[in-house]
Amino acid sequence: MSKYASLLFAPEKYHEIGPFRFPIYNDLVPGESRGIETISRKQSRSTFASIKLAQRIAKDKGISTKEAVELLSNTTEDNQDLLYDYAGELEELQGSSIGAVEQQVAFVTLFMQYRAEVRLPKSKDWQRVEDWSEADTEAMPSKLMEDVFRLISWERDGWPETSGKPEDEPVFSPPPKSS
């Protein structure tokens, strides 16, 4: 975030996950939204390419597009020829698609760059991690990454309602133990 962010966003509360804290805005900032849209657009292009291939297969094989989509998603011994006949297109599709984990890594990396703060050893102040990279996200424990991803969803889609009882509160990765 820019050096002017403190003028625009004055968070009253933070959410801590592991060693990090995140200001809560109950919304995404425009840069986060734009980054998420860019990542999602890449996935959409892959989906459309997959549908186009299914339409071509349907035409070539004289079947419905729905049947072709099912064939693509469910290759069995009975339809192995499909893999051979369309190997080039399937390889291209595979290369252009974004997997669920890859998408999660990209979203979490973006969110860490925009919001995450950490208190480094021997420091009393929270520091932003604007230089956070995908390599940093990939080195996170999976549970921690999933927790940050859930926080992104809540900021974007709305926070879950809780009864106020401690047992109903979401459980997140605890901060690391001091040695």
Side-chain angles (χ1 to χ4, degrees):
M1 238 188 244
S2 79
K3 63 183 178 182
Y4 305 108
S6 63
L7 300 172
L8 305 170
F9 301 101
E12 293 181 16
K13 65 182 192 176
Y14 289 85
H15 195 76
E16 290 189 26
I17 300 174
F20 305 103
R21 78 174 188 178
F22 301 86
I24 301 303
Y25 305 134
N26 293 306
D27 200 359
L28 297 177
V29 299
E32 292 165 343
S33 295
R34 186 178 72 192
I36 287 172
E37 282 178 10
T38 300
I39 296 162
S40 297
R41 207 174 0 260
K42 185 176 179 186
Q43 182 59 39
S44 293
R45 279 194 299 271
S46 175
T47 301
F48 291 135
S50 155
I51 292 169
K52 280 183 177 179
L53 178 58
Q55 288 174 328
R56 195 169 128 234
I57 291 169
K59 183 180 175 189
D60 292 351
K61 302 285 184 189
I63 59 176
S64 72
T65 303
K66 182 179 178 185
E67 289 172 302
V69 168
E70 288 173 9
L71 284 173
L72 283 172
S73 63
N74 234 346
T75 52
T76 62
E77 254 184 63
D78 296 339
N79 61 6
Q80 285 290 317
D81 289 343
L82 187 71
L83 289 176
Y84 300 119
D85 294 344
Y86 299 93
E89 292 93 331
L90 290 168
E91 182 181 22
E92 194 176 306
L93 269 178
Q94 187 69 28
S96 69
S97 69
I98 299 175
V101 174
E102 186 180 357
Q103 187 175 36
Q104 195 174 38
V105 166
F107 283 3
V108 168
T109 300
L110 178 76
F111 201 69
M112 295 296 289
Q113 292 167 343
Y114 269 87
R115 290 208 202 181
E117 298 177 4
V118 67
R119 192 176 303 154
L120 296 172
K122 300 179 184 174
S123 176
K124 293 182 180 184
D125 298 325
W126 288 93
Q127 297 175 21
R128 303 223 351 110
V129 293
E130 294 167 334
D131 61 344
W132 190 267
S133 69
E134 281 198 3
D136 294 317
T137 303
E138 290 169 352
M140 285 177 131
S142 293
K143 170 87 170 91
L144 181 63
M145 186 177 76
E146 289 166 8
D147 290 347
V148 174
F149 188 74
R150 187 171 0 144
L151 178 64
I152 297 167
S153 298
W154 290 349
E155 281 288 274
R156 181 186 62 199
D157 303 330
W159 283 69
E161 303 230 357
T162 62
S163 66
K165 297 177 185 172
E167 64 269 11
D168 290 339
E169 293 298 315
V171 177
F172 288 96
S173 299
K177 301 220 184 305
S178 300
S179 48

